[in-house]
Structures are given as C-alpha cells and as structure tokens.
Amino acid sequence: MDSNILASLSYGVYAIGVKGEQEPSACIVNTVIQVTNTNPPIIAVSMHHDNYSHERIRETGIFSVSVFSEDTSGAVIGALGFNSGRDANKLKNVRHRVLAEGVPVIKENCCCWFLCKVVGSAETATHTVFLAEVVAGSEKVTGVPMSYTYYHEVLKGSAPKNAPTHRANPSSGSQSDAGRFICTVCGYIYSDPDLPFEELPEDWLCPICGMPKSVFVRK
Ligand SMILES: Cc1cc2nc3c(=O)[nH]c(=O)nc-3n(C[C@H](O)[C@H](O)[C@H](O)COP(=O)(O)O)c2cc1C
C-alpha cells in the first residue's frame, strides 16, 4: 500500500474547548465529522489518549468545537496545537469566551461554534473517538471554513505526533529542498525564493508556533 493514500482524505481545522481543572483550555484537531442528522445531531472527534483535552473530556463529558476560518491566524493554531494545557494556560493570549457550562469557545475569526455532550466512545491503541450530541451552537456562520489543505498549503502548517494524520517523513513533493528550512517544533517549512532564510531578521518568529529562528534547521 502507498502510505500517501490516507493523505488524500479531506478535513477542516477546529479548536476543541474543554473545562479545565483550574481554567478552561483548548486544543487543535482536524478530525471532526458529522455522524448523524438526528435531533440532536451527533458528531465524532478523534482525541489522543495523552492530550490533556482527552482527560478533561473523559472527566466532564462536555466539550466545544470552534470552526476556524481562513482568516484565523496560524499563531492561534500554534498556541493551541503544539503544547499542552497541563503545562500552560494556552488561552492566555487567545480571544475566547467561556460558556455557562465552563467550556471556552474561540473568537479569533472563527466561523461558528457548537457545544457537545458525550454520548459514547470507541477505543483504539492511541486515540479515543468521542461521539457527542450537539446541544447548542452559534446562530450563524461567518467567513470561509479553513480546510486542512488550506492549513498545509497556504499556512504551510504541519501536524504534531498526537494528530492522527501526523506523518513522520512527509514527502516533499516536486519542490526542491534547496533553501528550505524546517521548524523543529511545529514542522513549518520556510521557503521564500525572494527572501532567503539567512536574510530574515534575527527577531523573526515562526508564523505557526511563534518559536525563534534558532529552532529552524535546513531541510
Ligand atoms: C493541525 C493540527 C491537527 C491536529 N489534529 C489532532 C486530532 O485530530 N486529534 C488529536 O488528538 N490531536 C490533534 N492535534 C494535536 C493536539 O492539538 C496537540 O497534541 C495538543 O498539544 C494537545 O493539547 P492538550 O494536551 O492541551 O489537549 C492536532 C494538532 C494540529 C496542529
């Protein structure tokens, strides 16, 4: 089997908001799908066992989904998708509001949000698929939902090891690796033929995870 075939599946980019022990928290997923059109509808999300968000969903049985738009900054994905709510208050610099249920929804140019109550789950070796009823949500959709393809091709983002779609050695396609530098924290690849990496200012930061130039290596 060609290992690239699963990369042809399509997804969106979402924040899963959870009720934290101290404060609300959130992480990034691409694996939200609508499972039924019943009343209420049921959605599913695949969550890695090691994620703090997994622990909080198991404990509280509730989470939110915020649908990112193409105008949502890559820095928000960096803040929520590349470190854990166990170690930091990830929402400190991310605009959000906390629902009456104690669950946050993200306000950084998101299209819409919905609130979900867990009704079942399925286990795999690494991830739990949570099934949940959509019990409340926004009144309208604003903007164009960000697709996973947009995240990869326009924002040049990648997925960390806990994402089900993580690939240890993604193929570099037809583009030459010459002059390309990769962020060792989030996998973002810098490749601007008009401005070589070496000429970027020393205080330049990775647009996805906010790390300095020093964490980049030649690809
Ligand atoms: C683009 C992207 C997609 C991701 N998709 C998933 C996913 O579907 N499921 C998952 O468990 N983690 C996914 N992750 C990884 C989590 O967001 C990441 O492990 C995060 O640090 C977990 O935070 P937490 O420990 O506060 O829950 C994704 C990350 C990114 C950047």
Side-chain angles (χ1 to χ4, degrees):
M1 180 178 102
D2 178 349
S3 62
N4 288 317
I5 59 175
L6 291 180
S8 61
L9 293 170
S10 305
Y11 308 93
V13 182
Y14 313 98
I16 299 295
V18 295
K19 196 171 171 176
E21 275 164 308
Q22 315 288 335
E23 61 238 333
S25 187
C27 79
I28 302 296
V29 299
N30 59 282
T31 52
V32 174
I33 59 161
Q34 182 171 356
V35 178
T36 73
N37 64 354
T38 46
N39 189 12
I42 292 180
I43 59 119
V45 58
S46 172
M47 184 64 72
H48 197 285
H49 295 160
D50 293 347
N51 287 350
Y52 176 61
S53 306
H54 181 280
E55 178 187 317
R56 298 314 302 155
I57 294 172
R58 268 267 179 265
E59 178 77 22
T60 63
I62 194 164
F63 63 90
S64 68
V65 177
S66 298
V67 178
F68 283 6
S69 82
E70 290 185 355
D71 294 328
T72 302
S73 156
V76 177
I77 301 172
L80 304 180
F82 291 91
N83 49 64
S84 179
R86 280 193 195 91
D87 310 321
N89 175 2
K90 295 201 281 183
L91 292 173
K92 201 167 134 207
N93 298 314
V94 175
R95 285 185 304 119
H96 65 281
R97 92 176 154 100
V98 182
L99 303 178
E101 291 80 3
V103 176
V105 292
I106 309 302
K107 291 175 68 180
E108 303 270 3
N109 291 320
C110 285
C111 293
C112 59
W113 60 267
F114 33 94
L115 180 65
C116 304
K117 281 199 174 148
V118 176
V119 292
S121 63
E123 282 306 328
T124 72
T126 52
H127 291 74
T128 302
V129 177
F130 288 108
L131 293 166
E133 287 177 346
V134 178
V135 294
S138 322
E139 295 302 328
K140 62 181 169 90
V141 179
T142 313
V144 178
M146 184 188 292
S147 70
Y148 203 42
T149 304
Y150 182 95
Y151 172 66
H152 284 296
E153 291 184 0
V154 180
L155 297 185
K156 308 284 184 210
S158 67
K161 66 172 176 46
N162 286 0
T165 48
H166 170 74
R167 296 162 76 205
N169 293 304
S171 64
S172 55
S174 56
Q175 206 178 346
S176 157
D177 281 345
R180 303 174 90 204
F181 283 74
I182 184 165
C183 176
T184 54
V185 175
C186 72
Y188 170 79
I189 295 170
Y190 181 87
S191 65
D192 183 345
D194 297 328
L195 181 59
F197 183 78
E198 293 83 349
E199 290 175 24
L200 287 169
E202 282 316 306
D203 59 357
W204 180 86
L205 299 173
C206 173
I208 297 294
C209 69
M211 295 303 280
K213 243 182 123 176
S214 54
V215 307
F216 279 70
V217 294
R218 189 181 290 280
K219 190 159 158 39

